[in-house]
Structures are given as C-alpha cells and as structure tokens.
Amino acid sequence: ADPASAIKHDFYIVDVSDPTLSPLPILGSFNVSEGLEAVHVAGDYAYVANRSVNGQLQIMNITDSSNPVPILADPGFEIPGVTGVGIYGKSIFYKDGYVYLGLYKTDTGPEFNIIDVSNPLSPDPKGSYPIGRTVSAIYVKNNLAYIASPNDSAELIILDVSDPANPIFKGQVNLDDDEEDGKSIAIVGNTLYLGRTKTPFALPTTDEFQLIDITSPSAPTTGISANIDSTVNAITIRENLAFMITSDPSLGFQIWDLNTMMLYGSENVEQTSTGAMDCEGNLVYIGQHSNKALQIIGPGDY
C-alpha cells in the first residue's frame, strides 16, 4: 500500500482462505517505508519496491504471517549510482535468487537493476541498464527480461540477462502513437501480451492491448490488437481469455476473448485499480485505491 500518512502500515498479509468474508482478515502488517509500489513473494520472503530515494528495495521475512518484519536496515537497500527527485522503486520481479528492480526515471544512473539476493541479508548489486524512462513492468523468462516503459521509441524493451552482471540489449518494439505507453506485461509461450496507457491525446483508434510474437527476441513482431479505450494496468492470461484491470471508471475489470478479440465480460469494481493482480484457481485478486484495497472476483456463486 501507499498510505497518505507515513506512520500508517504499508505492507499487509491478508487471509483469503474464505474469499466470501467481508472484511477479509488481516493476519499481520508493518510500516516498511514511505509506501510500497510492488511486491513479489518467493518462499519465506517478500521482495518489495520502496517509495524511498534512500532504499528502493526492502525484503520482508514472512515466515510468521502474523508478524512480518523487514530484514534490511531501514529504509532498505539503496541502488548505487542513481540520482534524482522521486527515484523510487516502481516494479519488481524475482527469479532464481535474483531481484529485477525497476525505478522511476532517474536524473542519472540506470532505471533497470539486477540484485543478487541469494543471501537476503546482504543484497549484492550485479548489473544494470539505462532505460531512460520509468520501468513500468518487468517479466523475466528464459534469461530474457521484458520491460514495459513509457519510452516513445520502444514501449517494450528486451534484455539478455544470462549474465546478470552485464545485461545486453536484445530487441524492442516501437508501436504506433507515441502518446500511449507500455504499462503491463503477461507472457504465455511465445506470445507477449502488452497493455498500454490511455492518454487524452491518443487517437480514438489506438489499441491499448497488443499481442507480440517473441519467438525471435531480437526481432519481436506485433500481431493482433484491441482498442480497450482505457489504460490496461495489469493482465493475466488463462487459456483463451485475457483478464485485465483497467482505469475505466465503470468497467474496471474486463475479460477479453483472445479468439475474437472482443469483450467477453466485465465487472464494475467501483474503485480505480492500482495495477496489482493475481489469479489462483477460479479467483482473481486485484489491488485498488481507497477503501476497497483488495477485491476478489470469482464465479457467480462466490
């Protein structure tokens, strides 16, 4: 969470074993920093992107769900060599002992950073890459990092991270209409699903949902797309359906049929989404602003 007051807790563990309960029970919480932007859980640890210029990464020990505690000295691990106002952590991805951390746009220093957390008590910065803009989303697969960014010349950037100390540019996608930025990513097989922002200046026909063939990472190719007419904050793919949370005030949660690229179903979730979404079984969990911070959507019998 990113609370309005610095003294309020920003990291929560919620019991969702009974998704019909309202309110859902909070098992434990902690005031980590000035607010959190993103979280990725692996084993006994939660890796969080901090809203702090002095510590963009914090690691939470969640072994005891009723008592989550940070294991790094407050405010956390500071990315070396970056400067600027608001150089907070923005996006995060954990895989095989490494944290891939994206920052808001810096004045100097790289926005994409790779950190060895094989010893969570002592994060070790390995490699980095200057994106030149905010890193909105990261997805790592097969030693490749896929980065969504509001970069006018490349809404999607692909880096080879097989050597964590030396990430290398692999490929990119530059879509039509530079006013719409890369925002969210999902990958299934050789297809990358890219969500984009919707801006007041965008053309009415601009497509915010793009399917990209990444069979050749050095030469990704665009495929079919759809005009969502709203920012796509997060995407989850299940078989032939794409689940999205958007900034649409009345259709915040949308399901699209990938076979027809048409709207399959939708739900008014009442609050603006923050871009957090997960899917387990037949339930979708979304993070939102205001007093409905966590919402669970499922079949009609829930």
Side-chain angles (χ1 to χ4, degrees):
D2 181 17
S5 171
I7 65 172
K8 293 185 177 180
H9 287 192
D10 47 24
F11 180 81
Y12 293 86
I13 298 178
V14 182
D15 184 351
V16 294
S17 56
D18 183 353
T20 65
L21 292 179
S22 184
L24 293 162
I26 295 174
L27 297 178
S29 63
F30 197 90
N31 181 13
V32 179
S33 185
E34 301 297 322
L36 304 179
E37 289 277 353
V39 58
H40 196 145
V41 174
D44 292 332
Y45 298 100
Y47 303 88
V48 295
N50 269 4
R51 288 184 59 82
S52 171
V53 298
N54 299 313
Q56 295 88 2
L57 170 68
Q58 182 56 270
I59 304 175
M60 305 293 294
N61 187 323
I62 55 172
T63 305
D64 180 359
S65 57
S66 65
N67 184 36
V69 292
I71 65 172
L72 304 179
D74 184 58
F77 177 77
E78 183 177 2
I79 299 297
V82 295
T83 66
V85 178
I87 48 171
Y88 308 135
K90 169 62 177 175
S91 51
I92 198 164
F93 195 98
Y94 170 90
K95 187 174 178 62
D96 298 335
Y98 289 94
V99 159
Y100 302 83
L101 182 68
L103 307 181
Y104 282 89
K105 186 182 184 305
T106 68
D107 288 344
T108 61
E111 290 84 5
F112 176 77
N113 296 270
I114 304 175
I115 306 160
D116 184 344
V117 291
S118 54
N119 178 4
L121 292 171
S122 182
D124 181 15
K126 288 299 183 183
S128 60
Y129 193 90
I131 301 299
R133 299 294 297 272
T134 296
V135 176
S136 298
I138 302 169
Y139 198 109
V140 179
K141 181 180 180 182
N142 296 335
N143 288 323
L144 295 169
Y146 300 87
I147 298 168
S149 172
N151 192 319
D152 289 345
S153 61
E155 291 86 352
L156 175 69
I157 297 172
I158 305 173
L159 301 178
D160 183 339
V161 293
S162 54
D163 178 4
N166 185 35
I168 299 172
F169 176 82
K170 190 73 173 179
Q172 66 181 35
V173 171
N174 182 18
L175 296 166
D176 293 334
D177 188 356
D178 289 340
E179 296 298 335
E180 302 227 327
D181 304 326
K183 176 67 174 176
S184 53
I185 294 174
I187 297 177
V188 177
N190 289 321
T191 302
L192 184 145
Y193 303 84
L194 179 69
R196 303 173 73 192
T197 60
K198 174 71 176 180
T199 69
F201 310 103
L203 298 173
T205 56
T206 299
D207 292 346
E208 291 82 22
F209 181 47
Q210 301 274 343
L211 274 62
I212 300 171
D213 186 340
I214 54 172
T215 303
S216 173
S218 60
T221 56
T222 56
I224 57 176
S225 58
N227 179 14
I228 308 299
D229 199 28
S230 180
T231 295
V232 180
N233 290 306
I235 308 168
T236 294
I237 306 298
R238 178 69 65 84
E239 297 179 355
N240 68 309
L241 298 176
F243 299 85
M244 306 179 195
I245 47 175
T246 76
S247 58
D248 190 304
S250 58
L251 300 177
F253 178 73
Q254 299 185 23
I255 305 173
W256 282 70
D257 188 328
L258 296 173
N259 293 327
T260 63
M261 292 302 280
M262 297 181 65
L263 185 65
Y264 184 85
S266 61
E267 178 72 18
N268 182 358
V269 290
E270 301 177 20
Q271 302 285 352
T272 305
S273 75
T274 61
M277 180 168 65
D278 193 17
C279 179
E280 296 289 341
N282 290 323
L283 298 174
V284 173
Y285 305 84
I286 60 176
Q288 300 183 153
H289 285 297
S290 196
N291 57 345
K292 288 191 175 181
L294 172 64
Q295 184 124 248
I296 302 177
I297 301 175
D301 57 347
Y302 277 92

PDB file of all heavy atoms in Angstrom, residues 31 40 78 81 115 120 164 177 187 195 246 271 277:
ATOM      1  N   ASN A  31       4.893  -1.186   8.953  1.00  0.00           N
ATOM      2  CA  ASN A  31       5.216   0.083   8.309  1.00  0.00           C
ATOM      3  C   ASN A  31       6.635  -0.004   7.762  1.00  0.00           C
ATOM      4  O   ASN A  31       7.605   0.196   8.492  1.00  0.00           O
ATOM      5  CB  ASN A  31       5.083   1.235   9.310  1.00  0.00           C
ATOM      6  CG  ASN A  31       5.376   2.586   8.669  1.00  0.00           C
ATOM      7  OD1 ASN A  31       5.440   2.692   7.445  1.00  0.00           O
ATOM      8  ND2 ASN A  31       5.543   3.598   9.482  1.00  0.00           N
ATOM      9  N   HIS A  40       6.796  -9.014  -4.740  1.00  0.00           N
ATOM     10  CA  HIS A  40       6.908 -10.350  -5.329  1.00  0.00           C
ATOM     11  C   HIS A  40       7.332 -11.303  -4.215  1.00  0.00           C
ATOM     12  O   HIS A  40       8.368 -11.106  -3.590  1.00  0.00           O
ATOM     13  CB  HIS A  40       7.941 -10.370  -6.459  1.00  0.00           C
ATOM     14  CG  HIS A  40       7.824 -11.571  -7.343  1.00  0.00           C
ATOM     15  ND1 HIS A  40       8.061 -11.539  -8.706  1.00  0.00           N
ATOM     16  CD2 HIS A  40       7.485 -12.855  -7.075  1.00  0.00           C
ATOM     17  CE1 HIS A  40       7.878 -12.746  -9.222  1.00  0.00           C
ATOM     18  NE2 HIS A  40       7.538 -13.560  -8.234  1.00  0.00           N
ATOM     19  N   GLU A  78      19.749   0.563  -1.015  1.00  0.00           N
ATOM     20  CA  GLU A  78      19.777   1.700  -1.929  1.00  0.00           C
ATOM     21  C   GLU A  78      20.545   1.338  -3.195  1.00  0.00           C
ATOM     22  O   GLU A  78      21.673   0.843  -3.130  1.00  0.00           O
ATOM     23  CB  GLU A  78      20.424   2.906  -1.262  1.00  0.00           C
ATOM     24  CG  GLU A  78      20.433   4.159  -2.126  1.00  0.00           C
ATOM     25  CD  GLU A  78      21.020   5.365  -1.403  1.00  0.00           C
ATOM     26  OE1 GLU A  78      21.456   5.205  -0.247  1.00  0.00           O
ATOM     27  OE2 GLU A  78      21.041   6.454  -2.006  1.00  0.00           O
ATOM     28  N   GLY A  81      24.530   4.727  -7.400  1.00  0.00           N
ATOM     29  CA  GLY A  81      24.789   5.486  -8.621  1.00  0.00           C
ATOM     30  C   GLY A  81      23.597   6.148  -9.262  1.00  0.00           C
ATOM     31  O   GLY A  81      23.701   6.614 -10.405  1.00  0.00           O
ATOM     32  N   ILE A 115      19.796  -7.515  -8.831  1.00  0.00           N
ATOM     33  CA  ILE A 115      20.373  -7.636  -7.495  1.00  0.00           C
ATOM     34  C   ILE A 115      20.374  -9.099  -7.085  1.00  0.00           C
ATOM     35  O   ILE A 115      19.343  -9.774  -7.137  1.00  0.00           O
ATOM     36  CB  ILE A 115      19.555  -6.807  -6.481  1.00  0.00           C
ATOM     37  CG1 ILE A 115      19.444  -5.357  -6.960  1.00  0.00           C
ATOM     38  CG2 ILE A 115      20.195  -6.872  -5.098  1.00  0.00           C
ATOM     39  CD1 ILE A 115      18.312  -4.598  -6.330  1.00  0.00           C
ATOM     40  N   PRO A 120      19.585 -13.114   1.417  1.00  0.00           N
ATOM     41  CA  PRO A 120      18.675 -11.962   1.549  1.00  0.00           C
ATOM     42  C   PRO A 120      19.160 -10.905   2.534  1.00  0.00           C
ATOM     43  O   PRO A 120      18.772  -9.738   2.424  1.00  0.00           O
ATOM     44  CB  PRO A 120      17.372 -12.612   2.037  1.00  0.00           C
ATOM     45  CG  PRO A 120      17.457 -14.035   1.608  1.00  0.00           C
ATOM     46  CD  PRO A 120      18.911 -14.392   1.717  1.00  0.00           C
ATOM     47  N   PRO A 164      24.033 -11.796 -15.296  1.00  0.00           N
ATOM     48  CA  PRO A 164      23.397 -10.737 -14.506  1.00  0.00           C
ATOM     49  C   PRO A 164      24.262  -9.498 -14.339  1.00  0.00           C
ATOM     50  O   PRO A 164      23.736  -8.396 -14.122  1.00  0.00           O
ATOM     51  CB  PRO A 164      23.137 -11.416 -13.156  1.00  0.00           C
ATOM     52  CG  PRO A 164      23.105 -12.869 -13.454  1.00  0.00           C
ATOM     53  CD  PRO A 164      24.087 -13.076 -14.559  1.00  0.00           C
ATOM     54  N   ASP A 177       1.662   5.566 -32.404  1.00  0.00           N
ATOM     55  CA  ASP A 177       1.116   6.524 -31.444  1.00  0.00           C
ATOM     56  C   ASP A 177       1.955   6.563 -30.170  1.00  0.00           C
ATOM     57  O   ASP A 177       1.731   5.815 -29.223  1.00  0.00           O
ATOM     58  CB  ASP A 177      -0.341   6.200 -31.095  1.00  0.00           C
ATOM     59  CG  ASP A 177      -0.967   7.305 -30.252  1.00  0.00           C
ATOM     60  OD1 ASP A 177      -0.246   8.267 -29.885  1.00  0.00           O
ATOM     61  OD2 ASP A 177      -2.154   7.214 -29.940  1.00  0.00           O
ATOM     62  N   ILE A 187       3.078 -13.089 -20.287  1.00  0.00           N
ATOM     63  CA  ILE A 187       3.680 -13.934 -21.315  1.00  0.00           C
ATOM     64  C   ILE A 187       3.168 -15.351 -21.165  1.00  0.00           C
ATOM     65  O   ILE A 187       3.155 -15.906 -20.068  1.00  0.00           O
ATOM     66  CB  ILE A 187       5.224 -13.939 -21.216  1.00  0.00           C
ATOM     67  CG1 ILE A 187       5.780 -12.533 -21.464  1.00  0.00           C
ATOM     68  CG2 ILE A 187       5.832 -14.918 -22.208  1.00  0.00           C
ATOM     69  CD1 ILE A 187       7.288 -12.433 -21.323  1.00  0.00           C
ATOM     70  N   GLY A 195      -0.009  -4.395 -22.268  1.00  0.00           N
ATOM     71  CA  GLY A 195      -1.022  -3.388 -22.009  1.00  0.00           C
ATOM     72  C   GLY A 195      -0.411  -2.007 -22.071  1.00  0.00           C
ATOM     73  O   GLY A 195       0.746  -1.807 -21.674  1.00  0.00           O
ATOM     74  N   THR A 246      -8.382  -2.268 -15.609  1.00  0.00           N
ATOM     75  CA  THR A 246      -8.213  -1.061 -16.402  1.00  0.00           C
ATOM     76  C   THR A 246      -8.588   0.163 -15.571  1.00  0.00           C
ATOM     77  O   THR A 246      -9.066   0.061 -14.447  1.00  0.00           O
ATOM     78  CB  THR A 246      -9.104  -1.103 -17.660  1.00  0.00           C
ATOM     79  OG1 THR A 246     -10.462  -0.826 -17.291  1.00  0.00           O
ATOM     80  CG2 THR A 246      -9.025  -2.469 -18.342  1.00  0.00           C
ATOM     81  N   GLN A 271     -13.664   0.978  -7.653  1.00  0.00           N
ATOM     82  CA  GLN A 271     -12.510   1.797  -7.338  1.00  0.00           C
ATOM     83  C   GLN A 271     -11.470   1.658  -8.449  1.00  0.00           C
ATOM     84  O   GLN A 271     -11.417   0.650  -9.142  1.00  0.00           O
ATOM     85  CB  GLN A 271     -11.877   1.353  -6.011  1.00  0.00           C
ATOM     86  CG  GLN A 271     -12.813   1.407  -4.821  1.00  0.00           C
ATOM     87  CD  GLN A 271     -13.069   2.819  -4.330  1.00  0.00           C
ATOM     88  OE1 GLN A 271     -12.436   3.758  -4.790  1.00  0.00           O
ATOM     89  NE2 GLN A 271     -13.977   2.971  -3.393  1.00  0.00           N
ATOM     90  N   MET A 277      -2.514  -7.456  -9.684  1.00  0.00           N
ATOM     91  CA  MET A 277      -3.482  -8.514  -9.966  1.00  0.00           C
ATOM     92  C   MET A 277      -2.795  -9.863  -9.912  1.00  0.00           C
ATOM     93  O   MET A 277      -1.650 -10.014 -10.313  1.00  0.00           O
ATOM     94  CB  MET A 277      -4.139  -8.326 -11.332  1.00  0.00           C
ATOM     95  CG  MET A 277      -5.161  -9.419 -11.677  1.00  0.00           C
ATOM     96  SD  MET A 277      -6.196  -9.076 -13.118  1.00  0.00           S
ATOM     97  CE  MET A 277      -4.984  -9.057 -14.429  1.00  0.00           C
TER      98      MET A 277
END
